[in-house]
Amino acid sequence: MQSAVNLDPERNLALDLVRATEAAAIAAVRHLGRGDKNLVDGAAVDAMRPILGGVSMRGTVVIGEGEKDDAPMLFNGEQVGNGTGPEVDIAVDPVDGTTLTAKAMPNALAVVALAERGSMLDPGPVFYMEKLAVSGDFADAVDFEAPIERNLKWIAKAKGVAVEDLAVCILDRPRHADLVDRIRKAGSRIKFILDGDVAGAILAADPDHDVDLLVGVGGTPEGVIAACALKCMGGAIFGRLKPDDDDMRQRAVDAGYDVDKVLTIDDLVAGDNVFFAATGVTDGELLKGVQYRKGEVWTQSLSMRSRSRARRLVDTRHNLERSNLIVRPSGN
């Protein structure tokens, strides 16, 4: 019996995952600006599923984005891969930022992550979580349960800068109004994101970008996917499940979840053999979006693996007629 922990290093899983996110991004952008986020998600899922189906792995979808809003999805528990190779967990968000794509706004990504079987947190009934993400260099300078003002002070001290020099990434939601006010009163700048906080977490963990911290409440599936990305980068993310109401809280407790526990990156994705891939759907700070050119489709992707800490920026020009990643609209 093949061990689940022995992922064959010769298997080009990293490139296989990039092909899957490329296919999803190319399909999703066909519906750019049409105002229908489910149409965006459905096209991306339909394009991504057959690519994942051909990968040499025995994968189980642990994170299948779409469940909380009845959107099209690669569903939780779905088996993917060609039935050979390692047993793995899959976390997938065919478009992290469906609303952004539907409105032709920046920073939408197609993302997928892979790890050894049994290593990813299954969010269960809790769709949202509180999050804090930083560069790994400053993981010891923050305390998830401390007031935001103290964390800003500690991060500034660790970086050797003033609190006023820090930029905090946060989802633009009414629930964050008080948090935003406190951050501004402390003197730090706010960098709002309208949707999709996987990219925000990556920006916060990358010292090459002008984001020092991501905080706030966002989706639990996105939290697990972000943890996969940050494990590949050596970043840090902390979280705590946030049930919507007492009924959801009780269902989570009955299912064995500790909703008061502060989760670390290793709670969200264990082990050190994690793969992550993302392709830009719309232009953003992290990646360029899909561009249709004469006879070609251009994509830009990020490929990462935790074991090697390799990070690759992949620029690809797909031949419009020959690429098997491009799903052509019916009637063409």
Side-chain angles (χ1 to χ4, degrees), residues 4 6 34 47 49 57-58 77 83 91 110 127 131 139 169 182 201 203 279 286 289 294 308:
N6 292 324
R34 298 184 187 276
R49 180 178 277 118
M57 64 180 177
R58 290 172 287 164
F127 299 138
K131 305 173 191 176
C169 187
R182 290 168 59 192
L203 292 175
T279 299
L286 188 64
K294 184 177 180 180
S308 62

Side-chain angles (χ1 to χ4, degrees), residues 11-323:
R11 300 262 184 209
N12 201 351
L13 288 172
L15 183 57
D16 286 334
L17 296 185
V18 168
R19 293 180 70 251
T21 57
E22 286 174 342
I26 290 168
V29 86
R30 292 278 194 184
H31 306 288
L32 183 71
R34 298 184 187 276
D36 188 336
K37 69 174 188 175
N38 283 352
L39 195 62
V40 169
D41 215 15
V45 169
D46 288 345
M48 179 180 280
R49 180 178 277 118
I51 304 301
L52 290 177
V55 178
S56 296
M57 64 180 177
R58 290 172 287 164
T60 300
V61 177
V62 176
I63 301 294
E65 178 61 22
E67 186 175 45
K68 66 175 179 283
D69 54 9
D70 297 320
M73 63 186 298
L74 280 149
F75 60 86
N76 292 352
E78 181 172 347
Q79 302 299 300
V80 296
N82 66 8
T84 67
E87 297 182 56
V88 295
D89 286 346
I90 300 287
V92 57
D93 194 345
V95 180
D96 183 37
T98 52
T99 299
L100 298 176
T101 307
K103 294 183 177 180
M105 301 177 74
N107 292 314
L109 301 173
V111 298
V112 63
L114 178 153
E116 296 163 359
R117 186 74 185 103
S119 61
M120 289 186 189
L121 175 72
D122 182 342
V126 185
F127 299 138
Y128 293 96
M129 69 185 301
E130 301 172 74
K131 305 173 191 176
L132 184 155
V134 292
S135 166
D137 293 340
F138 307 110
D140 294 334
V142 297
D143 179 347
F144 181 81
E145 298 187 283
I148 186 63
E149 295 86 352
R150 291 185 188 175
N151 276 320
L152 292 173
K153 182 178 179 180
W154 293 335
I155 292 172
K157 182 178 180 181
K159 296 191 74 170
V161 300
V163 171
E164 290 78 8
D165 295 324
L166 299 181
V168 181
C169 187
I170 189 168
L171 278 167
D172 189 6
R173 299 289 188 272
R175 62 178 176 263
H176 292 144
D178 178 65
L179 183 57
V180 167
D181 184 57
R182 290 168 59 192
I183 292 169
R184 285 174 169 163
K185 285 181 178 178
S188 297
R189 293 174 286 119
I190 297 290
K191 185 178 187 63
F192 281 120
I193 48 177
L194 300 179
D195 203 2
D197 58 359
V198 173
I202 294 173
L203 292 175
D206 189 345
D208 291 337
H209 288 92
D210 186 26
V211 174
D212 302 287
L213 177 70
L214 174 132
V215 292
V217 175
T220 307
E222 291 88 347
V224 176
I225 294 172
C228 292
L230 268 56
K231 179 150 282 194
C232 294
M233 301 172 65
I237 184 169
F238 304 90
R240 181 162 51 205
L241 298 175
K242 189 173 178 60
D244 290 346
D245 50 37
D246 291 340
D247 179 62
M248 181 179 286
R249 182 183 180 89
Q250 189 58 53
R251 283 190 285 122
V253 171
D254 291 344
Y257 291 87
D258 183 349
V259 296
D260 296 316
K261 179 182 179 180
V262 176
L263 303 170
T264 67
I265 193 168
D266 289 322
D267 294 315
L268 296 171
V269 57
D272 191 32
N273 200 15
V274 180
F275 293 81
F276 175 88
T279 299
V281 179
T282 59
D283 282 342
E285 290 182 74
L286 188 64
L287 293 167
K288 296 177 182 177
V290 176
Q291 300 178 49
Y292 274 81
R293 300 295 181 95
K294 184 177 180 180
E296 293 183 328
V297 181
W298 294 6
T299 59
Q300 187 173 72
S301 304
L302 177 64
S303 173
M304 302 191 290
R305 186 182 184 185
S306 65
R307 177 168 290 178
S308 62
R309 291 281 172 89
R311 285 192 273 171
R312 294 180 174 89
L313 194 63
V314 183
D315 288 293
T316 307
R317 298 187 179 191
H318 308 265
N319 185 280
L320 194 56
E321 297 301 321
R322 298 191 179 192
S323 175

